[in-house]
């Protein structure tokens, strides 16, 4: 099985992708076009994004519009924060959204970008339901940042508990957790009953670190290019796909290192191919 290019029948592909949107004066340029090509070539069933800033949304056309032939964005009310930095999109012809919601983390939260967007999905052709939470934890490496991430853990669990109360489904929590799998916040999530799909994958599990240096800006062509591959192993990764609630079989875990993906962001997209009985 070529996991990067082929999604076999009966599998659901769930992807997380930090799109490098909180980038100050940096341009979007060709980066959203590159990510659109990656998404449309790999065709995840659900994609959770992070750093989906007003700058990303302000592009004409923006990333969600570039993939709108296949994908719809989960509609949520971001309240006083107006912009949803952690959106979910899904294959519009394959799924319906049964319920959805949005939660902004309390405490430290730059630009109110650290949040959860969640949805419960129903397959149009099979009796399959599952939920996905796209999330972004606080980022600084100091004691205050770690305390904020520990608080993020508790609030993420509260959201998943609410989903599980109403729907007896697997819940995938995906995103940029800004901490490694061996960190204190991750240990807290495991104690809360979450599992790591990387370790649960039976056929293939990428050992990539995922995070890498930024692509180069070429003023002559007005494009980003020549980004390097990640350095390090999964132990260094800060992007994760976790599972809680009902069981699902995890077959493939992949870090996408296609050059288009590398040139679009400093985070590689990550996906898991799963089967839900």
């Amino acid at each position: 099985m070529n996991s990067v290019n082929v999604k076999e029948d009966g599998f659901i592909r769930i992807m997380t992708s930090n799109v490098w949107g909180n980038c100050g004066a940096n341009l979007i340029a060709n980066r959203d076009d590159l990510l659109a090509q990656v998404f449309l070539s790999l065709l995840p069933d659900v994609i959770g994004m992070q750093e989906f800033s007003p700058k990303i949304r302000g592009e004409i056309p923006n990333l969600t519009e570039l993939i709108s032939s296949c994908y719809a964005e989960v509609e949520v009310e971001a309240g006083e924060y107006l912009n949803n930095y952690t959106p979910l999109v899904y294959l519009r012809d394959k799924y319906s959204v049964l319920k959805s919601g949005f939660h902004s983390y309390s405490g430290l939260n730059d630009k109110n970008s650290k949040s959860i967007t969640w949805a419960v999905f129903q397959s149009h052709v099979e009796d399959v339901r599952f939920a996905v939470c796209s999330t972004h934890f606080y980022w600084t490496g100091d004691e205050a940042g770690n305390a904020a991430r520990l608080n993020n853990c508790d609030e993420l669990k509260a959201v998943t508990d609410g989903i599980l109360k109403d729907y007896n489904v697997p819940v995938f929590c995906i995103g940029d957790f800004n901490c490694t799998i061996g960190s204190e916040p991750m240990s807290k999530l495991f104690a809360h009953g979450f599992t790591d799909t990387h370790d649960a994958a039976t056929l293939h599990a990428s050992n990539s670190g995922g995070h890498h240096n930024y692509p180069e800006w070429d003023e002559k062509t007005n494009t980003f290019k020549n980004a390097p591959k990640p350095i390090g192993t999964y132990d260094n990764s800060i992007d994760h796909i976790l599972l809680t609630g009902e069981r699902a079989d995890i077959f493939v875990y992949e870090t996408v290192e296609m050059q288009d993906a590398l040139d679009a962001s400093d985070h590689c997209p990550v996906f898991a191919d799963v089967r839900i009985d």
Side-chain angles (χ1 to χ4, degrees):
M1 176 178 180
N2 183 348
S3 62
V4 171
N5 296 314
V6 177
K7 179 179 63 179
E8 294 189 349
D9 291 342
F11 289 81
I12 297 168
R13 177 166 290 177
I14 297 172
M15 174 180 282
T16 180
S17 180
N18 181 318
V19 301
W20 184 29
N22 298 344
C23 48
N26 289 327
L27 300 173
I28 306 301
N30 63 319
R31 295 194 295 104
D32 52 359
D33 301 279
L34 294 174
L35 270 180
Q37 292 172 28
V38 171
F39 295 162
L40 293 174
S41 66
L42 298 180
L43 281 180
D45 293 73
V46 179
I47 308 168
M49 291 177 269
Q50 302 83 45
E51 294 194 18
F52 210 92
S53 66
K55 177 177 280 190
I56 291 281
R57 291 191 182 275
E59 290 290 290
I60 303 175
N62 66 32
L63 181 52
T64 53
E65 292 168 336
L66 289 169
I67 61 175
S68 62
S69 60
C70 295
Y71 291 94
E73 182 175 349
V74 173
E75 296 183 7
V76 296
E77 177 56 61
E80 62 183 293
Y81 307 113
L82 301 180
N83 185 68
N84 180 5
Y85 285 82
T86 56
L88 284 168
V89 299
Y90 62 98
L91 290 175
R92 62 168 72 247
D93 292 337
K94 192 171 180 180
Y95 298 100
S96 299
V97 176
L98 299 180
K99 191 173 182 180
S100 62
F102 176 85
H103 174 78
S104 182
Y105 288 121
S106 63
L108 296 175
N109 194 335
D110 50 318
K111 300 181 181 179
N112 294 306
S113 63
K114 306 304 179 281
S115 56
I116 307 165
T117 300
W118 62 269
V120 180
F121 297 98
Q122 168 76 58
S123 171
H124 290 168
V125 296
E126 300 171 308
D127 187 22
V128 172
R129 293 182 179 185
F130 62 96
V132 181
C133 299
S134 174
T135 192
H136 197 177
F137 278 15
Y138 194 70
W139 65 280
T140 59
D142 55 12
E143 183 176 343
N146 191 62
R149 285 186 290 278
L150 290 170
N151 180 67
N152 297 161
C153 292
D154 291 335
E155 295 185 16
L156 178 60
K157 182 179 186 298
V159 168
T160 61
D161 284 349
I163 296 170
L164 292 171
K165 181 179 178 181
D166 296 331
Y167 298 90
N168 189 29
V169 295
V171 182
F172 297 91
C173 296
I174 67 177
D176 178 358
F177 289 81
N178 271 313
C179 54
T180 64
I181 208 68
S183 66
E184 185 180 7
M186 281 293 158
S187 295
K188 186 171 189 177
L189 287 174
F190 297 149
H192 281 327
F194 291 76
T195 59
D196 180 15
T197 62
H198 175 273
D199 290 348
T202 57
L203 291 187
H204 178 74
S206 168
N207 199 35
S208 171
H211 192 261
H212 58 86
N213 289 334
Y214 292 108
E216 300 173 3
W217 171 246
D218 186 336
E219 292 187 1
K220 292 182 179 179
T221 60
N222 291 322
T223 59
F224 287 94
K225 62 182 185 180
N226 297 332
K229 289 189 175 183
I231 298 173
T233 67
Y234 181 70
D235 288 343
N236 307 111
S237 179
I238 60 176
D239 300 283
H240 306 290
I241 299 176
L242 306 182
L243 172 64
T244 190
E246 287 297 297
R247 182 178 178 273
D249 293 323
I250 316 300
F251 282 83
V252 172
Y253 186 100
E254 184 68 63
T255 301
V256 180
E257 296 186 357
M258 302 160 60
Q259 194 60 47
D260 283 352
L262 296 173
D263 290 340
S265 175
D266 58 325
H267 291 251
C268 293
V270 175
F271 69 78
D273 284 354
V274 310
R275 186 157 59 199
I276 300 169
D277 295 328

